[in-house]
Amino acid sequence: MATLFTLNLVTPRAVASLPDSTKGSPIKVPYLNQPWKRILSPLESRRMQVRAAPDRLSEKVEQSIKEAQEACSDDPASGECVAAWDEVEELSAAASHARDRLKDNDPLENYCQDNPETDECKTYDN
Amino acid sequence: MAVCSAYTTQSLNSTCSISTPAKTHLGFHQKQVVFYRRSSKRGGSGSGSGSSSGPCVITCSAGDSQTVVIGLAADSGCGKSTFMRRLTSVFGGAAEPPKGGNPDSNTLISDMTTVICLDDYHSLDRTGRKEKGVTALDPRANDFDLMYEQVKAIKSGVAVDKPIYNHVTGLLDPPELIKPPKILVIEGLHPMFDERVRDLLDFSIYLDISNEVKFAWKIQRDMAERGHSLESIKASIEARKPDFDAYIDPQKKYADAVIEVLPTELIPDDNEGKVLRVRLIMKEGVKHFSPVYLFDEGSTISWIPCGRKLTCSYPGIKFHYGPDTYFGNEVSILEMDGQFDRLDELIYVESHLSNISTKFYGEVTQQMLKHADFPGSNNGTGLFQTIVGLKIRDLYEQITSSKTAAPLEATKA
């Protein structure tokens, strides 16, 4: 979430600088100033999306732990301290669910669990 | 409200074509009372009130007013999602988030069941709670009026627009439509906190995890996360404890079934938390629910299945069954301490349990094997969760058959 905010702040500045630099030449170089906007290949974009969710959450968890420790250093019994640790708990749970969701994404395994007798799924042990 | 009887709906399936589309296409309950004559010489139509006497009038109300509502309470990180997956698997099919909706939705939908996470009824989002210094466990952070209204609506067959609490962003997202399912499961921290919601539940379960086990489970869950350390996990549990003890724990006295997870007694001074002692506390006298028992209902039995017929590895398995009182209620407690190492241990145990509501011999074992990768599949947590799932299926079938068998009384009333 923090990274998204910085992106939004940078974009207007980059756009504003473009017309100045390209006064004479109408050559459009949209992705030079904004490299994050480059078109990702489908495989790459999917991989990045898959990595992004738990990564983002992991960063949030880390950040929330630091905040909770700060909040509790003043007064361990205060509402802020308790609420901060509750947030840590919530984010940890969300991160663990995201990790679990990543694990069950193999379509063949899922299919074979329900249909072990099909040709693709038969196992020959002896 | 007119209730459709089983024989009439089934015999009307070919003729009563108006009612079903009304429910699915329009998404809300239309209390149409359609009169049909069996002789089919005259078509029947139009809304009417009440029922007329006479042998050939069939009243059919659109919409399924037979939603069975189950409540599941537990602290976060305590196995609710595992339980949900086992429960939906007992009914068949996999539960998935609603297709085409918010990807961060907490709702799970399968053919028979819809699982609603009660976090969606938070009245304060993460920033709001931080400002007020309130945890999610605190009733002040939850909108119980909305919870009651919507659960009541779904129970009576009306679709609702339920808010979504996004766990990733911590914000309340725009609502999603929930259509009344056959079985509605509400899982979360406070399903039995509000008295009105409690009265709507047909069956309620509480997962009671002891502090040592909770600590061990949370360590397992969180140690893979950067930033977490033993101290931070401990601090998090300690900080939430006062609110948990004040608001969540008292719900266990209202539950029809409590699954209590404790450290094992078989290994002295065990602090790894791998082997567990699990107790299934079943309230007596609950409608449509007959407790599971060992050998003889109502007597006290201690049973070690390992011996001549069955060889178990260390530390073995120990069962206990007996009547007791729990917060002033009469209960039966079935307890298992130890772990299953092999399939035949599981099937041996299953063959000696009674009243487990299986449809065929070995169903519990089959369900446990199907989800052998779920946590708790080799100990009492998985076993009792599966058994409770089968009891809920039995409860559902009893409720639907009794509701369909008594339409005349309802219409006359």
Side-chain angles (χ1 to χ4, degrees), chain B residues 363-394:
Chain B
E363 192 175 7
V364 172
T365 307
Q366 193 197 62
Q367 282 291 328
M368 297 269 285
L369 283 179
K370 205 165 149 191
H371 303 293
D373 53 326
F374 284 4
S377 292
N378 64 344
N379 60 38
T381 48
L383 176 66
F384 292 150
Q385 286 178 358
T386 309
I387 291 179
V388 170
L390 294 171
K391 298 302 283 175
I392 291 178
R393 181 181 67 186
D394 182 47

PDB file of all heavy atoms in Angstrom, chain B residues 363-394:
ATOM      1  N   GLU B 363     -17.026 -43.800   6.656  1.00  0.00           N
ATOM      2  CA  GLU B 363     -17.151 -42.464   6.078  1.00  0.00           C
ATOM      3  C   GLU B 363     -16.239 -41.459   6.777  1.00  0.00           C
ATOM      4  O   GLU B 363     -15.652 -40.599   6.129  1.00  0.00           O
ATOM      5  CB  GLU B 363     -18.609 -41.975   6.155  1.00  0.00           C
ATOM      6  CG  GLU B 363     -18.807 -40.726   5.306  1.00  0.00           C
ATOM      7  CD  GLU B 363     -20.241 -40.250   5.233  1.00  0.00           C
ATOM      8  OE1 GLU B 363     -21.094 -40.802   5.959  1.00  0.00           O
ATOM      9  OE2 GLU B 363     -20.498 -39.336   4.450  1.00  0.00           O
ATOM     10  N   VAL B 364     -16.119 -41.583   8.097  1.00  0.00           N
ATOM     11  CA  VAL B 364     -15.246 -40.647   8.828  1.00  0.00           C
ATOM     12  C   VAL B 364     -13.812 -40.799   8.338  1.00  0.00           C
ATOM     13  O   VAL B 364     -13.125 -39.819   8.063  1.00  0.00           O
ATOM     14  CB  VAL B 364     -15.329 -40.899  10.346  1.00  0.00           C
ATOM     15  CG1 VAL B 364     -14.305 -40.075  11.091  1.00  0.00           C
ATOM     16  CG2 VAL B 364     -16.710 -40.599  10.862  1.00  0.00           C
ATOM     17  N   THR B 365     -13.380 -42.050   8.230  1.00  0.00           N
ATOM     18  CA  THR B 365     -12.015 -42.304   7.766  1.00  0.00           C
ATOM     19  C   THR B 365     -11.810 -41.750   6.367  1.00  0.00           C
ATOM     20  O   THR B 365     -10.791 -41.121   6.075  1.00  0.00           O
ATOM     21  CB  THR B 365     -11.737 -43.819   7.770  1.00  0.00           C
ATOM     22  OG1 THR B 365     -12.040 -44.324   9.056  1.00  0.00           O
ATOM     23  CG2 THR B 365     -10.288 -44.109   7.429  1.00  0.00           C
ATOM     24  N   GLN B 366     -12.810 -41.968   5.524  1.00  0.00           N
ATOM     25  CA  GLN B 366     -12.685 -41.478   4.149  1.00  0.00           C
ATOM     26  C   GLN B 366     -12.551 -39.955   4.121  1.00  0.00           C
ATOM     27  O   GLN B 366     -11.712 -39.412   3.403  1.00  0.00           O
ATOM     28  CB  GLN B 366     -13.917 -41.908   3.358  1.00  0.00           C
ATOM     29  CG  GLN B 366     -13.732 -41.715   1.875  1.00  0.00           C
ATOM     30  CD  GLN B 366     -15.078 -41.754   1.161  1.00  0.00           C
ATOM     31  OE1 GLN B 366     -15.944 -40.931   1.395  1.00  0.00           O
ATOM     32  NE2 GLN B 366     -15.241 -42.720   0.302  1.00  0.00           N
ATOM     33  N   GLN B 367     -13.360 -39.285   4.926  1.00  0.00           N
ATOM     34  CA  GLN B 367     -13.292 -37.821   4.963  1.00  0.00           C
ATOM     35  C   GLN B 367     -11.950 -37.342   5.496  1.00  0.00           C
ATOM     36  O   GLN B 367     -11.384 -36.364   5.016  1.00  0.00           O
ATOM     37  CB  GLN B 367     -14.404 -37.255   5.861  1.00  0.00           C
ATOM     38  CG  GLN B 367     -15.766 -37.224   5.222  1.00  0.00           C
ATOM     39  CD  GLN B 367     -15.856 -36.214   4.096  1.00  0.00           C
ATOM     40  OE1 GLN B 367     -15.218 -35.173   4.117  1.00  0.00           O
ATOM     41  NE2 GLN B 367     -16.642 -36.520   3.104  1.00  0.00           N
ATOM     42  N   MET B 368     -11.440 -38.058   6.505  1.00  0.00           N
ATOM     43  CA  MET B 368     -10.151 -37.650   7.075  1.00  0.00           C
ATOM     44  C   MET B 368      -9.041 -37.849   6.055  1.00  0.00           C
ATOM     45  O   MET B 368      -8.124 -37.036   5.940  1.00  0.00           O
ATOM     46  CB  MET B 368      -9.814 -38.486   8.324  1.00  0.00           C
ATOM     47  CG  MET B 368     -10.792 -38.315   9.450  1.00  0.00           C
ATOM     48  SD  MET B 368     -10.332 -37.008  10.568  1.00  0.00           S
ATOM     49  CE  MET B 368      -9.002 -37.770  11.460  1.00  0.00           C
ATOM     50  N   LEU B 369      -9.109 -38.948   5.306  1.00  0.00           N
ATOM     51  CA  LEU B 369      -8.071 -39.231   4.306  1.00  0.00           C
ATOM     52  C   LEU B 369      -8.117 -38.234   3.176  1.00  0.00           C
ATOM     53  O   LEU B 369      -7.105 -37.833   2.624  1.00  0.00           O
ATOM     54  CB  LEU B 369      -8.272 -40.626   3.737  1.00  0.00           C
ATOM     55  CG  LEU B 369      -7.810 -41.760   4.630  1.00  0.00           C
ATOM     56  CD1 LEU B 369      -8.089 -43.074   3.943  1.00  0.00           C
ATOM     57  CD2 LEU B 369      -6.329 -41.631   4.920  1.00  0.00           C
ATOM     58  N   LYS B 370      -9.350 -37.824   2.832  1.00  0.00           N
ATOM     59  CA  LYS B 370      -9.513 -36.890   1.729  1.00  0.00           C
ATOM     60  C   LYS B 370      -8.746 -35.593   2.009  1.00  0.00           C
ATOM     61  O   LYS B 370      -8.266 -34.936   1.116  1.00  0.00           O
ATOM     62  CB  LYS B 370     -11.005 -36.576   1.612  1.00  0.00           C
ATOM     63  CG  LYS B 370     -11.451 -36.134   0.262  1.00  0.00           C
ATOM     64  CD  LYS B 370     -12.973 -36.222   0.219  1.00  0.00           C
ATOM     65  CE  LYS B 370     -13.549 -35.167  -0.709  1.00  0.00           C
ATOM     66  NZ  LYS B 370     -14.979 -35.044  -0.597  1.00  0.00           N
ATOM     67  N   HIS B 371      -8.664 -35.268   3.280  1.00  0.00           N
ATOM     68  CA  HIS B 371      -7.998 -34.021   3.632  1.00  0.00           C
ATOM     69  C   HIS B 371      -6.821 -34.300   4.531  1.00  0.00           C
ATOM     70  O   HIS B 371      -6.621 -33.637   5.545  1.00  0.00           O
ATOM     71  CB  HIS B 371      -8.992 -33.082   4.327  1.00  0.00           C
ATOM     72  CG  HIS B 371     -10.177 -32.817   3.485  1.00  0.00           C
ATOM     73  ND1 HIS B 371     -10.097 -32.103   2.321  1.00  0.00           N
ATOM     74  CD2 HIS B 371     -11.464 -33.206   3.620  1.00  0.00           C
ATOM     75  CE1 HIS B 371     -11.297 -32.051   1.776  1.00  0.00           C
ATOM     76  NE2 HIS B 371     -12.135 -32.703   2.529  1.00  0.00           N
ATOM     77  N   ALA B 372      -6.026 -35.281   4.155  1.00  0.00           N
ATOM     78  CA  ALA B 372      -4.900 -35.673   4.996  1.00  0.00           C
ATOM     79  C   ALA B 372      -3.870 -34.564   5.127  1.00  0.00           C
ATOM     80  O   ALA B 372      -3.063 -34.582   6.040  1.00  0.00           O
ATOM     81  CB  ALA B 372      -4.249 -36.923   4.414  1.00  0.00           C
ATOM     82  N   ASP B 373      -3.915 -33.585   4.235  1.00  0.00           N
ATOM     83  CA  ASP B 373      -2.938 -32.505   4.319  1.00  0.00           C
ATOM     84  C   ASP B 373      -3.398 -31.382   5.244  1.00  0.00           C
ATOM     85  O   ASP B 373      -2.630 -30.482   5.550  1.00  0.00           O
ATOM     86  CB  ASP B 373      -2.662 -31.939   2.923  1.00  0.00           C
ATOM     87  CG  ASP B 373      -3.944 -31.539   2.221  1.00  0.00           C
ATOM     88  OD1 ASP B 373      -4.975 -32.222   2.444  1.00  0.00           O
ATOM     89  OD2 ASP B 373      -3.948 -30.561   1.467  1.00  0.00           O
ATOM     90  N   PHE B 374      -4.644 -31.411   5.686  1.00  0.00           N
ATOM     91  CA  PHE B 374      -5.117 -30.361   6.592  1.00  0.00           C
ATOM     92  C   PHE B 374      -4.470 -30.547   7.949  1.00  0.00           C
ATOM     93  O   PHE B 374      -4.215 -31.668   8.374  1.00  0.00           O
ATOM     94  CB  PHE B 374      -6.635 -30.460   6.793  1.00  0.00           C
ATOM     95  CG  PHE B 374      -7.456 -29.971   5.657  1.00  0.00           C
ATOM     96  CD1 PHE B 374      -6.895 -29.541   4.463  1.00  0.00           C
ATOM     97  CD2 PHE B 374      -8.835 -29.942   5.769  1.00  0.00           C
ATOM     98  CE1 PHE B 374      -7.681 -29.099   3.418  1.00  0.00           C
ATOM     99  CE2 PHE B 374      -9.633 -29.501   4.733  1.00  0.00           C
ATOM    100  CZ  PHE B 374      -9.059 -29.086   3.562  1.00  0.00           C
ATOM    101  N   PRO B 375      -4.251 -29.450   8.663  1.00  0.00           N
ATOM    102  CA  PRO B 375      -3.713 -29.604  10.017  1.00  0.00           C
ATOM    103  C   PRO B 375      -4.700 -30.354  10.898  1.00  0.00           C
ATOM    104  O   PRO B 375      -5.919 -30.180  10.769  1.00  0.00           O
ATOM    105  CB  PRO B 375      -3.530 -28.163  10.508  1.00  0.00           C
ATOM    106  CG  PRO B 375      -4.152 -27.293   9.514  1.00  0.00           C
ATOM    107  CD  PRO B 375      -4.375 -28.040   8.259  1.00  0.00           C
ATOM    108  N   GLY B 376      -4.183 -31.192  11.763  1.00  0.00           N
ATOM    109  CA  GLY B 376      -5.053 -31.920  12.686  1.00  0.00           C
ATOM    110  C   GLY B 376      -5.606 -33.193  12.125  1.00  0.00           C
ATOM    111  O   GLY B 376      -6.462 -33.817  12.745  1.00  0.00           O
ATOM    112  N   SER B 377      -5.154 -33.601  10.963  1.00  0.00           N
ATOM    113  CA  SER B 377      -5.714 -34.803  10.349  1.00  0.00           C
ATOM    114  C   SER B 377      -5.291 -36.072  11.042  1.00  0.00           C
ATOM    115  O   SER B 377      -5.847 -37.122  10.768  1.00  0.00           O
ATOM    116  CB  SER B 377      -5.295 -34.892   8.888  1.00  0.00           C
ATOM    117  OG  SER B 377      -5.898 -33.872   8.169  1.00  0.00           O
ATOM    118  N   ASN B 378      -4.312 -35.992  11.909  1.00  0.00           N
ATOM    119  CA  ASN B 378      -3.884 -37.219  12.567  1.00  0.00           C
ATOM    120  C   ASN B 378      -4.238 -37.216  14.048  1.00  0.00           C
ATOM    121  O   ASN B 378      -3.750 -38.045  14.794  1.00  0.00           O
ATOM    122  CB  ASN B 378      -2.376 -37.411  12.386  1.00  0.00           C
ATOM    123  CG  ASN B 378      -1.585 -36.296  13.062  1.00  0.00           C
ATOM    124  OD1 ASN B 378      -2.152 -35.250  13.398  1.00  0.00           O
ATOM    125  ND2 ASN B 378      -0.309 -36.506  13.266  1.00  0.00           N
ATOM    126  N   ASN B 379      -5.063 -36.292  14.487  1.00  0.00           N
ATOM    127  CA  ASN B 379      -5.420 -36.305  15.903  1.00  0.00           C
ATOM    128  C   ASN B 379      -6.888 -35.940  16.105  1.00  0.00           C
ATOM    129  O   ASN B 379      -7.660 -35.852  15.144  1.00  0.00           O
ATOM    130  CB  ASN B 379      -4.503 -35.361  16.697  1.00  0.00           C
ATOM    131  CG  ASN B 379      -4.585 -33.930  16.219  1.00  0.00           C
ATOM    132  OD1 ASN B 379      -5.654 -33.433  15.863  1.00  0.00           O
ATOM    133  ND2 ASN B 379      -3.463 -33.238  16.215  1.00  0.00           N
ATOM    134  N   GLY B 380      -7.246 -35.762  17.340  1.00  0.00           N
ATOM    135  CA  GLY B 380      -8.648 -35.531  17.674  1.00  0.00           C
ATOM    136  C   GLY B 380      -9.261 -34.301  17.033  1.00  0.00           C
ATOM    137  O   GLY B 380     -10.469 -34.262  16.828  1.00  0.00           O
ATOM    138  N   THR B 381      -8.469 -33.290  16.714  1.00  0.00           N
ATOM    139  CA  THR B 381      -9.086 -32.089  16.138  1.00  0.00           C
ATOM    140  C   THR B 381      -9.737 -32.435  14.813  1.00  0.00           C
ATOM    141  O   THR B 381     -10.910 -32.143  14.585  1.00  0.00           O
ATOM    142  CB  THR B 381      -8.084 -30.932  15.920  1.00  0.00           C
ATOM    143  OG1 THR B 381      -6.935 -31.441  15.274  1.00  0.00           O
ATOM    144  CG2 THR B 381      -7.689 -30.293  17.219  1.00  0.00           C
ATOM    145  N   GLY B 382      -8.988 -33.106  13.932  1.00  0.00           N
ATOM    146  CA  GLY B 382      -9.559 -33.481  12.647  1.00  0.00           C
ATOM    147  C   GLY B 382     -10.709 -34.452  12.818  1.00  0.00           C
ATOM    148  O   GLY B 382     -11.754 -34.333  12.170  1.00  0.00           O
ATOM    149  N   LEU B 383     -10.536 -35.433  13.705  1.00  0.00           N
ATOM    150  CA  LEU B 383     -11.570 -36.445  13.909  1.00  0.00           C
ATOM    151  C   LEU B 383     -12.861 -35.801  14.389  1.00  0.00           C
ATOM    152  O   LEU B 383     -13.943 -36.057  13.849  1.00  0.00           O
ATOM    153  CB  LEU B 383     -11.086 -37.473  14.936  1.00  0.00           C
ATOM    154  CG  LEU B 383     -12.097 -38.541  15.338  1.00  0.00           C
ATOM    155  CD1 LEU B 383     -12.413 -39.440  14.170  1.00  0.00           C
ATOM    156  CD2 LEU B 383     -11.586 -39.361  16.513  1.00  0.00           C
ATOM    157  N   PHE B 384     -12.771 -34.946  15.407  1.00  0.00           N
ATOM    158  CA  PHE B 384     -13.992 -34.370  15.955  1.00  0.00           C
ATOM    159  C   PHE B 384     -14.601 -33.329  15.027  1.00  0.00           C
ATOM    160  O   PHE B 384     -15.818 -33.194  14.966  1.00  0.00           O
ATOM    161  CB  PHE B 384     -13.743 -33.785  17.348  1.00  0.00           C
ATOM    162  CG  PHE B 384     -13.460 -34.830  18.386  1.00  0.00           C
ATOM    163  CD1 PHE B 384     -12.658 -34.549  19.469  1.00  0.00           C
ATOM    164  CD2 PHE B 384     -13.990 -36.099  18.274  1.00  0.00           C
ATOM    165  CE1 PHE B 384     -12.382 -35.520  20.426  1.00  0.00           C
ATOM    166  CE2 PHE B 384     -13.732 -37.079  19.217  1.00  0.00           C
ATOM    167  CZ  PHE B 384     -12.917 -36.790  20.299  1.00  0.00           C
ATOM    168  N   GLN B 385     -13.768 -32.620  14.301  1.00  0.00           N
ATOM    169  CA  GLN B 385     -14.322 -31.670  13.338  1.00  0.00           C
ATOM    170  C   GLN B 385     -15.103 -32.424  12.263  1.00  0.00           C
ATOM    171  O   GLN B 385     -16.192 -32.008  11.866  1.00  0.00           O
ATOM    172  CB  GLN B 385     -13.207 -30.850  12.683  1.00  0.00           C
ATOM    173  CG  GLN B 385     -12.619 -29.810  13.595  1.00  0.00           C
ATOM    174  CD  GLN B 385     -11.482 -29.061  12.933  1.00  0.00           C
ATOM    175  OE1 GLN B 385     -11.104 -29.340  11.799  1.00  0.00           O
ATOM    176  NE2 GLN B 385     -10.912 -28.106  13.639  1.00  0.00           N
ATOM    177  N   THR B 386     -14.554 -33.547  11.815  1.00  0.00           N
ATOM    178  CA  THR B 386     -15.251 -34.349  10.798  1.00  0.00           C
ATOM    179  C   THR B 386     -16.551 -34.893  11.369  1.00  0.00           C
ATOM    180  O   THR B 386     -17.603 -34.849  10.712  1.00  0.00           O
ATOM    181  CB  THR B 386     -14.353 -35.511  10.339  1.00  0.00           C
ATOM    182  OG1 THR B 386     -13.089 -35.003   9.982  1.00  0.00           O
ATOM    183  CG2 THR B 386     -14.959 -36.236   9.168  1.00  0.00           C
ATOM    184  N   ILE B 387     -16.503 -35.395  12.597  1.00  0.00           N
ATOM    185  CA  ILE B 387     -17.714 -35.946  13.208  1.00  0.00           C
ATOM    186  C   ILE B 387     -18.769 -34.855  13.375  1.00  0.00           C
ATOM    187  O   ILE B 387     -19.949 -35.076  13.096  1.00  0.00           O
ATOM    188  CB  ILE B 387     -17.383 -36.624  14.559  1.00  0.00           C
ATOM    189  CG1 ILE B 387     -16.566 -37.887  14.318  1.00  0.00           C
ATOM    190  CG2 ILE B 387     -18.647 -36.938  15.324  1.00  0.00           C
ATOM    191  CD1 ILE B 387     -16.171 -38.616  15.575  1.00  0.00           C
ATOM    192  N   VAL B 388     -18.351 -33.673  13.821  1.00  0.00           N
ATOM    193  CA  VAL B 388     -19.311 -32.576  13.969  1.00  0.00           C
ATOM    194  C   VAL B 388     -19.898 -32.212  12.611  1.00  0.00           C
ATOM    195  O   VAL B 388     -21.096 -31.930  12.488  1.00  0.00           O
ATOM    196  CB  VAL B 388     -18.663 -31.347  14.646  1.00  0.00           C
ATOM    197  CG1 VAL B 388     -19.578 -30.144  14.579  1.00  0.00           C
ATOM    198  CG2 VAL B 388     -18.336 -31.656  16.085  1.00  0.00           C
ATOM    199  N   GLY B 389     -19.056 -32.260  11.568  1.00  0.00           N
ATOM    200  CA  GLY B 389     -19.564 -32.005  10.219  1.00  0.00           C
ATOM    201  C   GLY B 389     -20.651 -32.993   9.846  1.00  0.00           C
ATOM    202  O   GLY B 389     -21.704 -32.623   9.300  1.00  0.00           O
ATOM    203  N   LEU B 390     -20.448 -34.273  10.165  1.00  0.00           N
ATOM    204  CA  LEU B 390     -21.461 -35.283   9.855  1.00  0.00           C
ATOM    205  C   LEU B 390     -22.712 -35.074  10.699  1.00  0.00           C
ATOM    206  O   LEU B 390     -23.841 -35.268  10.219  1.00  0.00           O
ATOM    207  CB  LEU B 390     -20.899 -36.688  10.103  1.00  0.00           C
ATOM    208  CG  LEU B 390     -19.750 -37.106   9.181  1.00  0.00           C
ATOM    209  CD1 LEU B 390     -19.134 -38.411   9.662  1.00  0.00           C
ATOM    210  CD2 LEU B 390     -20.226 -37.259   7.755  1.00  0.00           C
ATOM    211  N   LYS B 391     -22.539 -34.655  11.954  1.00  0.00           N
ATOM    212  CA  LYS B 391     -23.705 -34.391  12.808  1.00  0.00           C
ATOM    213  C   LYS B 391     -24.509 -33.218  12.251  1.00  0.00           C
ATOM    214  O   LYS B 391     -25.731 -33.205  12.327  1.00  0.00           O
ATOM    215  CB  LYS B 391     -23.271 -34.056  14.250  1.00  0.00           C
ATOM    216  CG  LYS B 391     -22.529 -35.143  14.985  1.00  0.00           C
ATOM    217  CD  LYS B 391     -23.253 -36.423  15.120  1.00  0.00           C
ATOM    218  CE  LYS B 391     -24.324 -36.436  16.177  1.00  0.00           C
ATOM    219  NZ  LYS B 391     -25.077 -37.700  16.157  1.00  0.00           N
ATOM    220  N   ILE B 392     -23.794 -32.232  11.696  1.00  0.00           N
ATOM    221  CA  ILE B 392     -24.501 -31.091  11.122  1.00  0.00           C
ATOM    222  C   ILE B 392     -25.274 -31.527   9.888  1.00  0.00           C
ATOM    223  O   ILE B 392     -26.408 -31.080   9.659  1.00  0.00           O
ATOM    224  CB  ILE B 392     -23.514 -29.944  10.791  1.00  0.00           C
ATOM    225  CG1 ILE B 392     -22.987 -29.347  12.095  1.00  0.00           C
ATOM    226  CG2 ILE B 392     -24.160 -28.878   9.935  1.00  0.00           C
ATOM    227  CD1 ILE B 392     -21.982 -28.255  11.888  1.00  0.00           C
ATOM    228  N   ARG B 393     -24.697 -32.420   9.104  1.00  0.00           N
ATOM    229  CA  ARG B 393     -25.416 -32.920   7.932  1.00  0.00           C
ATOM    230  C   ARG B 393     -26.679 -33.638   8.384  1.00  0.00           C
ATOM    231  O   ARG B 393     -27.760 -33.464   7.814  1.00  0.00           O
ATOM    232  CB  ARG B 393     -24.521 -33.865   7.136  1.00  0.00           C
ATOM    233  CG  ARG B 393     -25.206 -34.410   5.894  1.00  0.00           C
ATOM    234  CD  ARG B 393     -24.334 -35.367   5.131  1.00  0.00           C
ATOM    235  NE  ARG B 393     -24.098 -36.584   5.878  1.00  0.00           N
ATOM    236  CZ  ARG B 393     -23.266 -37.542   5.485  1.00  0.00           C
ATOM    237  NH1 ARG B 393     -22.590 -37.385   4.367  1.00  0.00           N
ATOM    238  NH2 ARG B 393     -23.087 -38.613   6.199  1.00  0.00           N
ATOM    239  N   ASP B 394     -26.544 -34.426   9.446  1.00  0.00           N
ATOM    240  CA  ASP B 394     -27.691 -35.152   9.981  1.00  0.00           C
ATOM    241  C   ASP B 394     -28.750 -34.179  10.493  1.00  0.00           C
ATOM    242  O   ASP B 394     -29.943 -34.339  10.243  1.00  0.00           O
ATOM    243  CB  ASP B 394     -27.187 -36.048  11.119  1.00  0.00           C
ATOM    244  CG  ASP B 394     -28.288 -36.883  11.715  1.00  0.00           C
ATOM    245  OD1 ASP B 394     -29.041 -37.491  10.937  1.00  0.00           O
ATOM    246  OD2 ASP B 394     -28.416 -36.903  12.946  1.00  0.00           O
TER     247      ASP B 394
END
